[in-house]
Coordinates of all heavy atoms in Angstrom, one line a residue:
K275 N 82.7 98.3 100.6 CA 83.5 97.1 100.7 C 84.7 97.1 99.6 O 84.2 97.4 98.4 CB 82.6 95.9 100.5 CG 83.2 94.6 100.7 CD 83.1 94.1 102.2 CE 84.0 93.0 102.6 NZ 85.4 93.3 102.6
G276 N 85.9 96.7 99.8 CA 86.8 96.5 98.9 C 88.1 96.4 99.5 O 88.5 96.7 100.6
G277 N 89.1 96.0 98.7 CA 90.4 95.6 99.2 C 91.4 96.9 99.4 O 90.9 98.0 99.1
M296 N 84.1 98.2 92.3 CA 83.6 97.4 93.5 C 82.0 97.6 93.7 O 81.3 96.7 93.9 CB 84.4 97.7 94.8 CG 85.7 97.1 94.9 SD 85.8 95.3 94.7 CE 84.8 94.7 96.0
K299 N 80.5 95.5 91.1 CA 80.6 94.0 91.4 C 79.7 93.7 92.5 O 79.0 92.6 92.3 CB 82.0 93.9 91.8 CG 82.5 92.3 91.8 CD 84.0 92.3 92.5 CE 85.0 93.1 91.7 NZ 86.4 92.8 92.3
K311 N 87.8 101.2 97.9 CA 89.1 100.7 97.7 C 90.2 101.4 98.4 O 89.8 102.5 98.6 CB 89.4 100.5 96.2 CG 90.4 99.7 95.7 CD 89.8 98.3 95.6 CE 90.6 97.3 94.9 NZ 89.8 96.1 94.5
I347 N 84.4 98.3 104.9 CA 85.1 97.2 105.4 C 86.2 96.7 104.4 O 85.8 96.1 103.3 CB 83.9 96.0 105.5 CG1 82.8 96.5 106.5 CG2 84.6 94.6 105.9 CD1 81.5 96.2 106.0
A349 N 89.4 94.4 102.9 CA 89.8 93.0 102.5 C 91.1 93.1 101.8 O 91.8 94.1 101.5 CB 88.7 92.5 101.6
P350 N 91.6 91.8 101.7 CA 93.0 91.8 101.0 C 92.9 92.1 99.4 O 91.7 92.1 98.8 CB 93.3 90.3 100.9 CG 92.3 89.6 101.9 CD 91.2 90.5 101.9
D351 N 93.8 92.5 99.0 CA 94.0 92.9 97.3 C 95.5 92.8 97.0 O 96.2 91.8 97.7 CB 93.6 94.3 97.2 CG 93.0 94.7 95.9 OD1 93.9 95.0 94.9 OD2 91.9 94.4 95.6
T380 N 87.6 91.8 106.3 CA 87.5 90.3 105.8 C 88.7 89.9 105.3 O 89.7 90.6 104.9 CB 86.3 90.0 104.9 OG1 86.5 90.9 103.7 CG2 85.1 90.5 105.6
R392 N 87.6 81.4 102.1 CA 87.7 82.7 101.6 C 89.1 82.7 100.7 O 89.3 83.5 99.9 CB 87.8 83.8 102.8 CG 88.3 85.1 102.4 CD 87.2 85.8 101.5 NE 87.6 87.1 100.9 CZ 88.3 87.4 99.9 NH1 88.8 86.3 99.2 NH2 88.6 88.6 99.4
N527 N 91.2 92.8 88.0 CA 90.3 93.9 87.8 C 90.7 94.6 86.6 O 91.8 95.1 86.5 CB 90.2 94.9 89.0 CG 89.4 94.1 90.2 OD1 88.4 93.7 90.0 ND2 90.1 94.2 91.3
N552 N 85.4 87.8 89.0 CA 86.3 87.9 90.2 C 85.3 88.3 91.4 O 86.0 88.6 92.5 CB 87.5 88.7 90.1 CG 87.4 90.1 89.9 OD1 86.3 90.7 90.5 ND2 88.1 91.0 89.2
G555 N 85.4 86.6 95.4 CA 86.2 87.0 96.7 C 85.3 87.8 97.5 O 85.1 87.5 98.8
V556 N 84.6 88.9 96.9 CA 83.8 89.7 97.8 C 82.5 89.0 98.3 O 82.0 89.2 99.3 CB 83.5 91.0 97.2 CG1 82.5 90.9 95.9 CG2 83.0 92.1 98.0
S559 N 83.7 87.2 101.3 CA 84.0 88.3 102.4 C 82.6 88.6 102.9 O 82.6 88.8 104.2 CB 84.5 89.6 101.6 OG 85.8 89.4 101.4
Ligands
LIG1899 N1 90.0 92.8 96.6 C1 89.0 91.8 96.2 C2 88.2 92.6 95.0 O1 88.8 93.3 94.4 C3 88.2 91.5 97.4 C4 87.3 92.5 97.9 C5 86.6 92.1 99.1 O2 86.5 91.0 99.5 O3 86.0 93.1 99.9 O4 87.3 92.1 94.7

Side-chain angles (χ1 to χ4, degrees):
K275 188 85 193 79
M296 283 306 299
K299 198 187 297 187
K311 203 80 172 192
I347 303 134
D351 204 271
T380 60
R392 176 61 184 87
N527 288 314
N552 67 31
V556 75
S559 273

